[in-house]
Every structure is written in structure tokens, then in C-alpha cells.
Amino acid sequence: MSQHGAALQAYNQELVKCLEEMKIRRIELQTQIDSQEEEKNNLQREIEKLSYKLTRLNDSLTKTIAVRNEYDRTISDTETAYIKILESSQLLLNMIKREATNLDQTLIKANMDQQQYRP
């Protein structure tokens, strides 16, 4: 029986040793888990900060693009109006030249007629 007692005591010591090693590994794993959870929480906070910044940037970008589009529209409208003014000015100039030519010809003709009737 003493052999059985010795074997049982050896098994018990081995069992205690294994349990202690498992507890040490568990503590090491818990330390690793704690570290990873802390890193995860830090990353989550960073993601929230970046998400907030991204939202603000997108809002600003949307507003800036809208203003730029208004600039584009105003520039386009102004250029179109300016081209119409240039075309109207050209038509007016051509009309004035034509009228001036007609008036000059009428004046020349009137002067010729007047000279014919002079004694």
C-alpha cells in the first residue's frame, strides 16, 4: 500500500505542479488580453476622433464645392453676357458705319444737286 500512497503523492504533486503552471500561463494570457484590450480601446478612440474629423472635413468640402460651383455659374453667366455685349457692340458699330456711309452719300448727292441748280 505504501507504493500506492507514494504513487498517489507523486500524482498529487504532479497535479499541483500542472495546475500552478496553468495558472501562470493564464496570468500571462490575461496580461496579454489586458494589453490588447487597451490597444483596442486606444484604436477605437482614435477611430472615433478620425471619424469626427472626416465628418467635419466632408461637411466643409461639401460647402466649399457648392461655393466653387456658384463661382463657376457666375463666371459662365458673366462670360455669356459679356459675349452678348461684344456682339451687340459689333452690330451697333456696323450699323453706325453703314448709316454714316449712307448719310455721307446722301450729303454728297445733295451737294451735287445743289451745285447743279446754282447759276
Side-chain angles (χ1 to χ4, degrees):
M1 243 344 204
S2 75
Q3 274 185 338
H4 291 298
L8 185 59
Q9 190 175 3
Y11 294 148
N12 187 40
Q13 287 176 350
E14 188 69 29
L15 179 62
V16 169
K17 183 179 174 186
C18 284
L19 282 173
E20 289 300 319
E21 288 176 2
M22 289 179 80
K23 287 180 181 181
I24 291 171
R25 287 188 199 137
R26 186 207 176 278
I27 291 171
E28 290 171 351
L29 284 174
Q30 187 60 47
T31 302
Q32 184 180 355
I33 289 169
D34 292 344
S35 175
Q36 288 178 348
E37 284 181 345
E38 183 179 345
E39 183 179 0
K40 176 188 153 199
N41 290 335
N42 288 338
L43 289 172
Q44 188 63 39
R45 283 191 296 276
E46 190 65 28
I47 287 170
E48 289 171 4
K49 287 178 189 177
L50 290 174
S51 179
Y52 177 73
K53 285 181 180 181
L54 180 61
T55 299
R56 286 182 35 219
L57 182 60
N58 279 333
D59 291 345
S60 175
L61 187 58
T62 299
K63 291 174 185 175
T64 304
I65 288 171
V67 171
R68 186 215 45 209
N69 291 343
E70 281 298 312
Y71 269 105
D72 289 346
R73 185 191 58 76
T74 301
I75 289 168
S76 177
D77 291 350
T78 302
E79 286 175 339
T80 299
Y82 185 68
I83 288 171
K84 287 180 181 179
I85 290 170
L86 288 176
E87 290 170 350
S88 294
S89 295
Q90 185 179 11
L91 289 172
L92 180 61
L93 178 62
N94 290 340
M95 184 187 76
I96 288 174
K97 285 181 178 180
R98 193 171 43 249
E99 286 299 318
T101 301
N102 288 342
L103 288 173
D104 286 347
Q105 289 176 355
T106 303
L107 182 60
I108 291 171
K109 190 174 181 184
N111 284 341
M112 290 173 113
D113 288 346
Q114 190 178 28
Q115 286 179 358
Q116 284 180 351
Y117 295 115
R118 279 195 178 168

